[in-house]
Amino acid sequence: MSSEQLSIKPSVLYFGTPVVLIVTRNPDATANITPISSAWALDDRMVLGLGAVGQGITNLTRERECTLNLPSADLWHKVERIARTTGLNPVPAVKIAAGYVHSPDKFALGGFSTAASETVRTPRIAECTVQLEARLLASYPSGNASADEGPSYLIVEAEVQHVHAHRDMVIPGTDYIDTDRWNPLFYVFRHYFGNAHDLGKNFRAE
Ligand SMILES: Cc1cc2nc3c(=O)[nH]c(=O)nc-3n(C[C@H](O)[C@H](O)[C@H](O)COP(=O)(O)O)c2cc1C
């Protein structure tokens, strides 16, 4: 195989991260869903990357809590059904230009159902295999927008307070997710991926 390297400028650097559906509370106490893929974990902290203009980030900043719901790969059609929408009304010009339309109820649009949470007022998404209840700890502005426009992105740190998992995803009698059954939905260069194969264990796997 050739090892020659090319210099390239990919439009996105989405090499592959799990899809996370953030649920936040609207001012009228209804719930909004924001699909993201810029999400990763450090111990009980989740770090999220969110565009500065959106209903999810507005709600999260105000309410300081959310649920983070991990869909399995078979839910990708439902995720894509809500993908072109925002909870913002009116839809800001920047999102109209990108093709977004308003949806007041992404649960109905995507065919998702709510489940009550235990430590936050924001509901979870019942269909998602793993659901995390979290509170906002901090956010950090990022991106290249001009000083007048404010940041393009916010890098958000949230603390996970409670974890729910579908019973058939947990090794009986333990707190372990069964990696033989876990089939997360990944977002890879704006394509949905699933069916990840287990290649082997890290030396620290329990
Ligand atoms: C699979 C997927 C991954 C996405 N990843 C992100 C992301 O990591 N960060 C982000 O800000 N937007 C991401 N988006 C776009 C938002 O979902 C989109 O801006 C949406 O309109 C936000 O909804 P809201 O305004 O109701 O919060 C993603 C969309 C999809 C479908």
Side-chain angles (χ1 to χ4, degrees):
M1 189 194 290
S2 164
S3 62
E4 189 187 348
Q5 306 293 304
L6 292 179
S7 295
I8 60 169
K9 289 184 178 169
S11 61
V12 291
L13 298 173
Y14 302 158
F15 295 105
T17 40
V19 173
V20 175
L21 302 176
I22 308 181
V23 178
T24 54
R25 261 170 71 94
N26 293 317
D28 65 0
T30 57
N32 184 60
I33 305 177
T34 303
I36 67 158
S37 64
S38 302
W40 48 273
L42 267 178
D43 198 18
D44 65 348
R45 303 291 162 84
M46 289 291 294
V47 180
L48 316 169
L50 279 161
V53 179
Q55 187 67 35
I57 187 64
T58 307
N59 289 343
L60 181 57
T61 306
R62 186 187 61 254
E63 301 283 328
R64 303 191 69 81
E65 63 167 51
C66 64
T67 65
L68 303 170
N69 302 271
L70 286 109
S72 50
D74 56 300
L75 295 184
W76 82 267
H77 281 289
K78 286 175 178 278
V79 175
E80 185 54 21
R81 231 184 278 159
I82 63 170
R84 193 186 276 275
T85 64
T86 174
L88 290 173
N89 188 20
V91 181
V94 63
K95 286 189 89 79
I96 292 176
Y100 285 91
V101 296
H102 172 63
S103 168
D105 187 351
K106 298 194 206 177
F107 275 88
L109 183 64
F112 293 111
S113 9
T114 57
S117 294
E118 294 187 21
T119 67
V120 293
R121 296 191 301 169
T122 311
R124 298 172 279 135
I125 301 178
E127 289 76 11
C128 287
T129 354
V130 169
Q131 307 139 5
L132 314 175
E133 299 178 11
R135 72 182 178 101
L136 177 69
L137 289 183
S139 68
Y140 168 85
S142 180
N144 295 322
S146 73
D148 315 340
E149 290 171 345
S152 338
Y153 299 100
L154 290 163
I155 297 172
V156 169
E157 183 183 356
E159 180 185 25
V160 175
Q161 308 183 139
H162 199 94
V163 179
H164 304 258
H166 285 186
R167 180 178 292 278
D168 60 359
M169 206 52 59
V170 179
I171 298 175
T174 75
D175 289 311
Y176 291 107
I177 297 288
D178 186 345
T179 51
D180 286 341
R181 307 192 71 124
W182 177 235
N183 184 18
L185 176 61
F186 290 104
Y187 201 46
V188 180
F189 291 108
R190 295 204 166 105
H191 291 245
Y192 297 99
F193 270 61
N195 302 323
H197 297 294
D198 185 350
L199 301 174
K201 283 186 192 177
N202 171 252
F203 72 101
R204 294 190 60 192
E206 294 171 5

